[in-house]
Amino acid sequence: MILSISGQVIVFLWTTVCGMVIAFVYDIFRIIRKAVKTGGLVISVQDLLFWLIACIIMFVSIYYSNDGELRGFLFLGAFLGVVLYAMLFSRIVMGSSLFIINITVKVVRFLAFVLFYPFRLLVKLLAVPVRKAAKAAADSLRKVRTRRDEASGRRAEADK
């Protein structure tokens, strides 16, 4: 398919936007990695998933905008989109997202503390009587065992 210059400019701008979208998806994975500490296997799966998403975005973009014809300016546009996003938006997106996540975690922890405080207090209050009851039961069992052992010892001596 032969595109006019204006058509090529539109395709170039479209692939630039797609490059920005790919960089945004990469930032989402970065945010997840910073918010949730994971192991190497999960990181490998995330990397594979990112590249699969990036390939799908580029494939769909090139297929619909340029009928699937690969041209150098398409990749240049995607690269330019990634660079523009990194320079203009990445720091803002990362900072604000991590800030929101940190505030949300602190609020949830505080609410959990407030909601579970009565239960923790109840457990502490009941722990003392329960420990005393358990100690008394253990002492009673020891006494019963001792008496039983003494009685069985007397029977053994009587049988001789």
Side-chain angles (χ1 to χ4, degrees):
M1 169 176 139
I2 298 175
L3 287 176
S4 64
I5 298 290
S6 62
Q8 290 179 13
V9 169
I10 290 172
V11 171
F12 176 78
L13 293 175
W14 179 248
T15 56
T16 303
V17 169
C18 289
M20 294 177 91
V21 170
I22 290 171
F24 177 72
V25 170
Y26 182 72
D27 270 355
I28 290 173
F29 280 99
R30 285 177 57 201
I31 291 165
I32 292 170
R33 283 185 187 168
K34 288 188 179 211
V36 179
K37 303 299 181 199
T38 57
L41 179 65
V42 175
I43 290 174
S44 297
V45 170
Q46 287 176 349
D47 286 344
L48 185 66
L49 186 61
F50 165 74
W51 284 110
L52 183 67
I53 292 169
C55 287
I56 290 170
I57 291 171
M58 282 306 294
F59 176 78
V60 170
S61 169
I62 291 171
Y63 184 77
Y64 284 112
S65 68
N66 201 26
D67 291 331
E69 288 185 32
L70 294 177
R71 299 190 179 191
F73 71 86
L74 299 176
F75 297 103
L76 182 64
F79 178 74
L80 179 65
V82 169
V83 170
L84 283 174
Y85 177 85
M87 291 175 61
L88 298 175
F89 302 114
S90 183
R91 184 175 287 151
I92 296 167
V93 169
M94 289 292 294
S96 61
S97 298
L98 291 174
F99 176 75
I100 290 170
I101 289 171
N102 288 335
I103 294 298
T104 304
V105 166
K106 288 178 182 177
V107 167
V108 167
R109 283 184 182 162
F110 176 74
L111 289 175
F113 176 79
V114 168
L115 291 174
F116 291 119
Y117 184 76
F119 298 109
R120 286 197 321 263
L121 184 63
L122 183 64
V123 167
K124 285 182 181 178
L125 290 175
L126 291 177
V128 173
V130 168
R131 280 191 204 123
K132 287 184 179 180
K135 187 176 184 301
D139 290 342
S140 297
L141 284 175
R142 261 188 244 116
K143 288 179 184 177
V144 168
R145 285 182 187 152
T146 305
R147 288 181 188 157
R148 185 189 64 199
D149 292 342
E150 289 174 359
S152 65
R154 285 187 213 137
R155 272 189 247 140
E157 288 178 13
D159 289 340
K160 289 183 185 178

